[in-house]
Amino acid sequence: MQLIQENPDLSAYLAADDVVDHRHPLVRETAAGLAKSSADTYEYARAAFEFVRDTVPHSQDTGRMEVTWRASDVLRERTGICTAKSHALAALLRAEDIPTAFCYQRLRDDNTSGFSLHGLVAVRLDGAWHRQDPRGNIPAGVDAQFRLGEERLAWPVDPESNEVDYPVLYAEPSPVALRVLQEARDRLHLWQIYPSEL
């Protein structure tokens, strides 16, 4: 799949805002700790990915009910759904001047017999964009890994089931997904209002 950079200005993919608050002290402290043990940019990006994937469990997996959306809150509370975890990973990567985009998939949702929007990121390394999925691995067949080149996402899409890989790389999180994260009273309410597509 050919990835499409929405904004031609690469600096847009380094920006901080209320969601990707990479100037927040907790984000800076976390980034500094990861950078200290990383020999180069690639190692740092992999360490940041593994940190979010492995130490911030997906709230569905743990049964946590709170809904996080701001990167620093995701890191502080150590919980979030896929889109929130993507915000946290983007903040850690942008904190170390690694351009990071938001990207999405429409996947089957076995709980609703419909579809659900899935959030991930793309990182720009070695002159190209590479999608990464920090959702969190589970024994039931989810084994996402940090890779350049051949992707190892949580879920490859199945076009025959009308699943979709959206090719656009956004500098800011999807307003549709962000709005429901901000409005949800808890995770159960979130699943009731969560979008099925962009």
Side-chain angles (χ1 to χ4, degrees):
M1 176 180 68
Q2 173 121 14
L3 299 175
I4 302 165
Q5 188 174 315
E6 174 200 33
N7 191 325
D9 183 359
L10 203 57
S11 68
Y13 297 89
L14 293 168
D17 58 26
D18 196 39
V19 180
V20 186
D21 57 342
H22 65 72
R23 294 188 182 100
H24 187 281
L26 177 58
V27 178
R28 298 299 315 160
E29 178 184 331
T30 306
L34 294 168
K36 191 180 301 184
S37 58
S38 301
D40 57 27
T41 302
Y42 171 83
E43 281 192 20
Y44 174 82
R46 184 176 50 78
F49 167 83
E50 291 174 354
F51 179 85
V52 174
R53 183 194 65 188
D54 299 341
T55 73
V56 180
H58 192 288
S59 55
Q60 179 72 30
D61 298 343
T62 60
R64 300 266 303 262
M65 296 306 290
E66 62 266 52
V67 177
T68 55
W69 54 269
R70 183 178 289 115
S72 58
D73 292 340
V74 174
L75 295 176
R76 184 182 64 253
E77 298 298 327
R78 295 291 175 100
T79 192
I81 68 165
C82 58
T83 47
K85 291 182 64 162
S86 294
H87 301 166
L89 179 55
L92 290 174
L93 293 169
R94 290 181 182 189
E96 291 295 313
D97 294 322
I98 300 171
T100 307
F102 297 97
C103 40
Y104 300 91
Q105 298 172 311
R106 183 181 77 167
L107 300 174
R108 280 177 309 195
D109 186 340
D110 295 332
N111 296 321
T112 66
S113 70
F115 294 93
S116 184
L117 189 65
H118 179 61
L120 46 152
V121 303
V123 59
R124 188 158 180 90
L125 289 171
D126 296 340
W129 289 102
H130 308 275
R131 293 191 308 167
Q132 311 296 330
D133 192 341
R135 183 249 179 247
N137 293 339
I138 55 175
V142 176
D143 185 27
Q145 301 295 326
F146 186 83
R147 297 273 170 84
L148 303 186
E150 184 181 350
E151 294 180 334
R152 183 80 173 271
L153 306 177
W155 292 287
V157 301
D158 178 9
E160 292 183 11
S161 299
N162 292 319
E163 293 183 332
V164 176
D165 261 327
Y166 294 106
V168 177
L169 303 175
Y170 298 96
E172 298 176 356
S174 160
V176 173
L178 181 59
R179 185 182 71 251
V180 297
L181 287 173
Q182 293 171 330
E183 292 176 356
R185 296 183 300 270
D186 57 30
R187 187 173 43 80
L188 295 181
H189 181 231
L190 175 64
W191 290 153
Q192 293 172 357
I193 62 174
Y194 198 72
S196 60
E197 58 189 346
L198 283 181

